[in-house]
Amino acid sequence: MEELVKKAQQLAEFLKKEEEILIVTHIDADGITSGAIAYRSLERAGKDVEIRFVKSLDESEIEKIADENIFVWFTDLGSGQIGAIKERISDFIVSDHHVPDAITDNQLNPHIFGYDGSYELSGSTTTYLVARVLGLNHDLVSTAIVGAVGDLQDSNYGRLVGLNRKVLREGEANGFIEARKDIRFFGKQTRPVFKMLEYTFDPYLPGISGNENGAVEFLNSINIRLKNGDNWLRWIDLTAEEKKRITSEIIKILIANNYPFSLIMRMVGESYILLDEPEGTELRDAMEFSTLLNATARYGQEEVGLAVCLGDRGEGYRRAKSLLQNHRRNLSDGLRLVDEIGIVELENIQYFHAGKKILDTIIGIVAGMSYSFANRNKPVIAFAENEDGIKVSARATKDLVEKGVHLAQAIKLAAERVGGAGGGHSIAAGATIPKGSEDEFLRILDRIVGEQLLS
Ligand code: C5P
Ligand code: C5P
Ligand code: ZN
């Protein structure tokens, strides 16, 4: 940790010397929160700041940024393209957690210090390390944790670990955030309990997921009140005993359905509560907050998510909530589509091709969710068509990574072989490849993953 703090201090010194800074960040929850942390900390330091969101940092994007002749702070991206950036941009720093393609002095990245950026430090927590030495920015820790949760960095163990945990502890000590042991379902703050259960797909709850009657009957069968007077009860309205009863009954169902113990363990882990946010809102729980952000950025409305992170509780917040309805619908439609078209298994991988039916910006989320019914022994590869060609999203499980699978390396190699480009993390990676090259890409990738499993 000390080494990272030292590097963060160096980067903060670079920033202090500049007057005008352009932040370039990624269009997802981790990217928005990283951008918001960088933005707020620079604003407080009296800098003239601008922020730009990009889907990915390709050559043409780097070219455009270079043309502005301004000092750049890349957050939640940049490490995978350090070579290309260096060729065109002379003054910049990077705080990122993607697998770096080169080690440079102006880069804070957990991988360089022997940590894994897919679960030990996110773009947002990496960026927070810079912000906290740039000035009095300890309050930005909540935003940092929202980003880490948005990148599913807590999903391996059901809680944040590694350096993320150190950041969390600091936030707890300063009274901004609290880790609570609780069921890790989405919607504990905002949805009636039966709806929360009906919309839980990770894990898939037999007889309950996607089944409103099933969810209601389940609660009735274990004597859980659905309403208090006219009000639907949310998870946060239940007593500790009621929550415990529901949790243990769900565990019984999962055991009866032979779910692996590790998966059950992950289901009851930690939730992160933002203590300064009102109870019963999407902003109170890091998991709900990060989904709200994804609902903006993945639909080209990243400014809305950024505004919410920077404190907008008026028009921006209202807009984000309505985008969230749309996002939820798209995810459940996407998952239904995958179930309909089916997942094709090859020797070492499995895939589905959504064509234009799932947006390229949410195909990765759907790929991850498809593990609720896909084979957990093979990585899931998903294709979606966009204006640049074919967007590839790949997801693995922690078990597969422990067996040697490294998706970022495999996807990068396979994409380059068919004239595309990609990268990411061991457990989650992506690429863009030319239309029509999917079959060859799959053949190459299947072989590489096979080799990774052998070595
Ligand atoms: O670009 P970025 O690093 O923000 O994206 C990380 C992606 O990796 C997220 O979309 C997240 O869903 C995925 N991920 C995952 N499982 C993990 C860690 C990350 O699916 N354990
Ligand atoms: O887009 P998706 O969520 O599938 O991305 C998974 C991971 O792969 C992210 O960390 C993302 O930044 C990375 N990625 C990449 N190059 C691409 C596409 C995605 O490095 N062309
Ligand atoms: Zn990230």
Side-chain angles (χ1 to χ4, degrees), residues 30 76 97 151:
D30 192 26
D76 190 37
H97 67 131
D151 253 12

Side-chain angles (χ1 to χ4, degrees), residues 15 23 25 29-45 49 51 53 73 75-76 95 122-148 167 293 305-306 308-310:
L15 291 168
I23 300 163
T25 195
D30 192 26
I32 298 181
T33 51
S34 302
I37 292 166
Y39 189 93
R40 185 63 94 211
S41 65
L42 289 176
E43 198 185 52
R44 285 174 178 169
V49 205
I51 185 163
F53 289 90
W73 183 357
T75 65
D76 190 37
S95 51
S122 62
S124 60
T125 43
T126 308
T127 302
Y128 171 74
L129 292 185
V130 180
R132 72 193 265 287
V133 293
L134 189 63
L136 286 175
N137 294 309
H138 285 89
D139 57 326
L140 303 180
V141 70
S142 311
T143 311
I145 296 301
V146 169
V167 171
L293 296 180
L306 177 70
V308 173
C309 282
L310 293 174

Side-chain angles (χ1 to χ4, degrees), residues 26 28 30 76 97-98 118 151-152 155-156 298 395 425 427-428:
H26 198 200
D28 64 4
D30 192 26
D76 190 37
H97 67 131
H98 291 92
S118 70
D151 253 12
L152 305 188
S155 67
N156 287 355
R298 305 219 178 215
R395 295 292 185 272
H425 310 285
I427 201 162

Side-chain angles (χ1 to χ4, degrees), residues 426-439:
S426 52
I427 201 162
T432 300
I433 59 172
K435 195 169 173 205
S437 70
E438 295 96 313
D439 287 339

Side-chain angles (χ1 to χ4, degrees), residues 175 180 252 324 387 394 448:
R180 287 194 192 150
K252 278 189 207 159
L324 179 61
E387 67 279 8
I448 299 175

Side-chain angles (χ1 to χ4, degrees), residues 283-303:
L283 309 172
R284 179 82 171 170
D285 178 300
M287 197 190 270
E288 293 199 51
F289 199 149
S290 67
T291 306
L292 185 76
L293 296 180
N294 271 326
T296 67
R298 305 219 178 215
Y299 303 87
Q301 307 279 318
E302 54 277 331
E303 302 294 335

